[in-house]
Amino acid sequence: MTDILAAPGTSCTKLESLKPAVEDIVTRQAGLVDSAGVPVTPGLFTDADAWHQWWSLVGGKLVFIPHNLNPASINYYDYTEMTWYERPLASGRPELIGPYIDFGGADMKVVTASLPVNHGQRTVAVAGADLSMESIERTFLLNLGRRDERVALITETGKGVASNSARFAPGTRFQGARSGAGSVPVPAADLAAPPWHLVAGD
């Protein structure tokens, strides 16, 4: 991918060659990944000031999702101001963003995993994938749903991701302690932000 993005005079049409790799990821993740793609650093391409190469599952098929990248348009989609784009650029490491409603894309509640794509010393794009909240919650409940104590999966900011109790509803702010007794960090490779936690409550 970096070779495609770094080639002089690169056209945005060349990113279509990434579709088989994205399709393989979506297929192997069995419903966890709803969509994925590569928004590039503005000014990288000769035929587009900005480009957001993104595919989503629609009717069981992976299709390209066009975004309005015209700054003069009322429906302008400025991906460079999205947290999932800004944070990996700033940290230089993978990030997990959400959960949130993706009004600019799939209009679904998602968690976005993203990381910077570098060529030498230069960041040329951000690779991202939207993770299905439904799939995350289903996996959580399958493994922890029958436990007697209330358990919640929370983000580094204390936002609930999944829980076996209505008291800790997904998307709401967890009011208890996020660390210490009753809290276990969730292992994650090389994330810039502190890890998510599993917390038990009364």
Side-chain angles (χ1 to χ4, degrees), residues 184-198:
V184 179
V186 178
D190 198 35
L191 287 178
W196 290 4
H197 280 75
L198 282 173

Side-chain angles (χ1 to χ4, degrees), residues 1 18-38 55 57 62 113 115 127-131:
M1 178 169 63
L18 298 176
K19 183 177 180 180
V22 173
E23 196 160 21
D24 180 61
I25 292 171
V26 172
T27 301
R28 285 191 288 108
Q29 294 305 318
L32 174 61
V33 179
D34 284 324
S35 58
V38 184
W55 295 274
L57 276 177
L62 195 69
L115 74 163
D130 287 338
L131 312 182

Side-chain angles (χ1 to χ4, degrees), residues 48-145:
D49 291 334
W51 192 253
H52 188 275
Q53 188 77 26
W54 202 260
W55 295 274
S56 291
L57 276 177
V58 178
K61 295 183 178 181
L62 195 69
V63 298
F64 173 70
I65 304 298
H67 290 77
N68 188 336
L69 303 178
N70 179 6
S73 172
I74 192 172
N75 296 317
Y76 174 46
Y77 182 73
D78 187 1
Y79 61 83
T80 66
E81 293 188 352
M82 302 298 171
T83 305
W84 55 262
Y85 182 88
E86 291 180 323
R87 274 185 33 180
L89 285 184
S91 68
R93 295 168 61 186
E95 299 275 2
L96 282 176
I97 309 299
Y100 66 97
I101 302 295
D102 181 23
F103 291 115
D107 291 341
M108 298 171 58
K109 186 182 288 187
V110 298
V111 171
T112 299
S114 56
L115 74 163
V117 178
N118 299 318
H119 182 79
Q121 301 299 313
R122 183 173 58 135
T123 300
V124 293
V126 169
D130 287 338
L131 312 182
S132 163
M133 278 294 295
E134 181 180 348
S135 177
I136 293 172
E137 291 181 60
R138 184 169 57 247
T139 300
F140 178 92
L141 292 174
L142 181 64
N143 289 276
L144 297 172

